Amino acid sequence: MKLTLNIWRQPNAAAPGAMHTYELDGVSSDMSFLEMLDLLNEQLVTSGEEPVAFDSDCREGICGMCSLMINGEAHGPEVTTTCQLHMRSFTDGETITIEPWRASSFPVVKDLIVDRSAFDRIIQNGGYISANTGAAPEANSVPAPRDKAMRAFNVATCIGCGACVAACPNGSASLFLGAKITHLGELPQGQPERYSRVASMVAQHDHEGFGGCTNIGECAAACPKEIPLDVISQLNRDLRSAIKQGY
């Protein structure tokens, strides 16, 4: 395959950025999208140019670091992470536009890499259970209804990639926040701090500059782990309860 790549290049957070165009030949349809970028970087290094900086780690769709806007879509045309997107999703001769996440709460570090530490700070402000439970109890000593346990496990698959923020016209992280709130709030161990947790995490979400949710649904459509939109309803219900209780 032969491709034309329009890629955002920005040397650092303080410098202005711009789109640069590259021609790339010899791309196999079996390559992943990141392998295609590796091929481009080999070409750039050979010609004495600066390689394109992009983020990745596991390349197995688990860590969520490979965050790219591809032709205006978070992670590209398939419902998966960028590292699990393959070049067979594109056609020979196609022009592909590649950009970093576009959200003020995710500032650009370099080229296609953004700083998503705002998510870490939200987690630090309540996304955990601090109650001392002692040694690990016998598995069945704390009964949990199967439907609640399964819902908690399903939303815990959120990998914090930030696609929900990048896809949202408001730059809201409500889907990410709702997944974390629901994950911990559905299980018995999460009940003692349920409402103080949601108040603290929502306050940090707003402090980081994320926008508000207007139920457009782009977040759930872009989520590679298919987190359902109803976690935002759970978030709102818990927040109302927290406010009533004075948190």
Side-chain angles (χ1 to χ4, degrees), residues 168 170 172-175 205 211-217 219 229 232 235-236:
C168 177
N170 305 326
S172 174
S174 293
L175 192 75
H205 170 279
C213 174
T214 51
N215 282 320
I216 295 173
C219 55
L229 199 60
I232 300 178
L235 166 65
N236 291 333

Side-chain angles (χ1 to χ4, degrees), residues 8-20 100 102 106-113:
W8 181 262
R9 303 301 307 266
Q10 185 172 341
N12 56 62
M19 300 298 293
H20 289 242
R102 292 301 190 193
F106 293 154
V108 173
V109 176
K110 182 178 181 180
D111 293 341
L112 303 175
I113 300 174

Side-chain angles (χ1 to χ4, degrees), residues 7-99:
I7 301 180
W8 181 262
R9 303 301 307 266
Q10 185 172 341
N12 56 62
M19 300 298 293
H20 289 242
T21 301
Y22 303 97
E23 300 293 334
L24 185 62
D25 202 353
V27 177
S28 167
S29 61
D30 293 327
M31 285 182 174
S32 73
F33 199 85
L34 297 186
E35 287 173 328
M36 180 274 293
L37 289 179
D38 289 337
L39 182 64
L40 171 66
N41 280 342
E42 289 176 6
Q43 175 178 299
L44 292 176
V45 170
T46 300
S47 62
E49 298 180 62
E50 180 77 13
V52 177
F54 62 91
D55 221 344
S56 70
D57 187 8
C58 72
R59 299 203 178 200
E60 295 178 346
I62 298 171
C63 71
M65 293 181 67
C66 54
S67 307
L68 299 177
M69 292 295 288
I70 302 168
N71 288 341
E73 297 181 276
H75 290 303
E78 309 290 341
V79 182
T80 186
T81 53
T82 300
C83 65
Q84 292 294 292
L85 177 67
H86 288 81
M87 298 312 298
R88 53 181 168 266
S89 298
F90 303 91
T91 58
D92 186 29
E94 186 171 350
T95 297
I96 304 174
T97 300
I98 310 168
E99 304 169 271

Side-chain angles (χ1 to χ4, degrees), residues 10 14 38 63 100 104 113 116 118-119 125 129 152 194 224 247:
Q10 185 172 341
D38 289 337
C63 71
S104 59
I113 300 174
R116 291 176 299 144
F119 273 8
N125 273 269
I129 294 172
R194 180 172 182 171
Y247 288 106

Side-chain angles (χ1 to χ4, degrees), residues 94-227:
E94 186 171 350
T95 297
I96 304 174
T97 300
I98 310 168
E99 304 169 271
W101 282 166
R102 292 301 190 193
S104 59
S105 301
F106 293 154
V108 173
V109 176
K110 182 178 181 180
D111 293 341
L112 303 175
I113 300 174
V114 298
D115 180 359
R116 291 176 299 144
S117 59
F119 273 8
D120 297 331
R121 292 188 289 273
I122 290 175
I123 293 293
Q124 290 164 5
N125 273 269
Y128 54 86
I129 294 172
S130 64
N132 184 4
T133 59
E138 198 279 325
N140 296 317
S141 64
V142 183
R146 184 181 183 280
D147 59 336
K148 289 185 176 294
M150 290 304 299
R151 187 163 188 247
F153 290 145
N154 288 337
V155 299
T157 59
C158 169
I159 54 177
C161 66
C164 52
V165 178
C168 177
N170 305 326
S172 174
S174 293
L175 192 75
F176 164 80
L177 185 54
K180 300 306 176 185
I181 292 297
T182 303
H183 165 207
L184 297 172
E186 288 284 9
L187 298 177
Q189 296 90 336
Q191 299 310 307
E193 299 171 305
R194 180 172 182 171
Y195 300 114
S196 60
R197 176 188 302 117
V198 69
S200 178
M201 293 179 75
V202 168
Q204 188 64 34
H205 170 279
D206 295 345
H207 176 74
E208 296 292 344
F210 292 106
C213 174
T214 51
N215 282 320
I216 295 173
E218 290 293 327
C219 55
C223 177
K225 297 303 177 181
E226 300 182 307
I227 302 298

